[in-house]
């Protein structure tokens, strides 16, 4: 299975490729990008998998959980994969919600030129944001290396694998 992993602290880690020796799949990840919202902070990271999955992971931190379950951009609904969420049991702590928005290859290429504006909708609110073009273009710059990495790892993983999202404890915006 492909894992969209988010490290324990959102540092400015450079774009890179991670391979999973068990599944034979690889992921190209971009840098983290912070988007400030009126209700919290959203951290995104663009990715491409060796199985031709394109998109960006999301970690939304706010005072209250909004239950994100949909992603939209200019009237188009995108596939949103809901990950975990956690609200620490302390006053002033943030709730964290993890997920991923899946784009088509052409949408990802378009975002690398124009950026990507979106809204994440939840049961208790919405978060809007704009991702800069370089978030996507830096990942496209790794695509040739990604294809070579997955080929040398014994072939591509089956195309019917599902994308998984890291647990909230692994996705702590710092």
């Amino acid at each position: 299975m492909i894992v969209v992993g988010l490290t324990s602290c959102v540092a400015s880690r450079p774009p890179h490729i991670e391979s999973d020796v068990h599944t034979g799949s690889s992921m190209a990840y971009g840098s983290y990008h912070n988007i400030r919202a009126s209700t919290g902070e959203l951290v995104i990271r663009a990715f491409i998998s060796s199985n031709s999955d394109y998109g960006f992971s999301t970690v939304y931190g706010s005072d209250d959980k909004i239950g994100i379950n949909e992603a939209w951009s200019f009237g188009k609904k995108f596939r949103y994969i809901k990950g975990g969420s956690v609200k620490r049991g302390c006053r002033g702590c943030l709730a964290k919600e993890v997920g991923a928005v899946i784009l088509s290859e052409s949408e990802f290429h378009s975002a690398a030129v124009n950026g990507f504006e979106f809204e994440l909708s939840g049961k208790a609110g919405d978060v809007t944001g704009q991702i800069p073009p370089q978030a996507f273009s830096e990942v496209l710059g790794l695509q040739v290396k990604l294809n070579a990495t997955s080929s040398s790892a014994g072939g591509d993983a089956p195309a019917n694998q599902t994308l998984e999202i890291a647990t909230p404890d692994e996705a702590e915006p710092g």
Side-chain angles (χ1 to χ4, degrees):
M1 293 186 163
I2 301 168
V3 177
V4 177
L6 299 169
T7 60
S8 62
C9 183
V10 179
S12 63
R13 186 171 183 187
H16 65 284
I17 294 176
E18 294 178 10
S19 298
D20 185 321
V21 296
H22 302 290
T23 65
S25 63
S26 298
M27 296 285 287
Y29 291 108
S31 302
Y32 292 101
H33 292 270
N34 295 333
I35 300 170
R36 300 238 183 255
S38 61
T39 57
E41 183 174 25
L42 180 65
V43 179
I44 66 96
R45 187 163 72 157
F47 65 83
I48 301 173
S49 77
S50 57
N51 296 331
S52 300
D53 291 314
Y54 295 81
F56 58 94
S57 61
T58 63
V59 178
Y60 179 67
S62 69
D63 291 336
D64 294 308
K65 182 179 168 191
I66 62 173
I68 298 169
N69 55 21
E70 293 182 338
W72 294 85
S73 182
F74 295 103
K76 180 176 180 182
K77 186 176 181 180
F78 287 82
R79 181 175 169 218
Y80 179 77
I81 300 172
K82 188 176 181 124
S85 65
V86 66
K87 172 118 172 138
R88 301 261 195 281
C90 62
R91 179 170 253 139
C93 292
L94 295 179
K96 305 228 191 279
E97 298 180 59
V98 180
V101 177
I102 306 302
L103 306 175
S104 70
E105 182 177 4
S106 64
E107 290 163 341
F108 197 92
H109 281 272
S110 176
V113 174
N114 304 311
F116 190 79
E117 291 185 51
F118 64 92
E119 179 176 282
L120 300 177
S121 299
K123 295 175 185 174
D126 302 322
V127 178
T128 58
Q130 182 173 5
I131 305 169
Q134 67 266 24
F136 300 96
S137 61
E138 67 186 7
V139 180
L140 287 173
L142 294 173
Q143 195 166 26
V144 170
K145 187 176 176 184
L146 173 68
N147 293 339
T149 301
S150 63
S151 295
S152 67
D156 288 334
N160 63 352
Q161 289 183 336
T162 59
L163 197 60
E164 286 190 4
I165 309 303
T167 64
D169 291 337
E170 295 171 328
E172 298 282 334

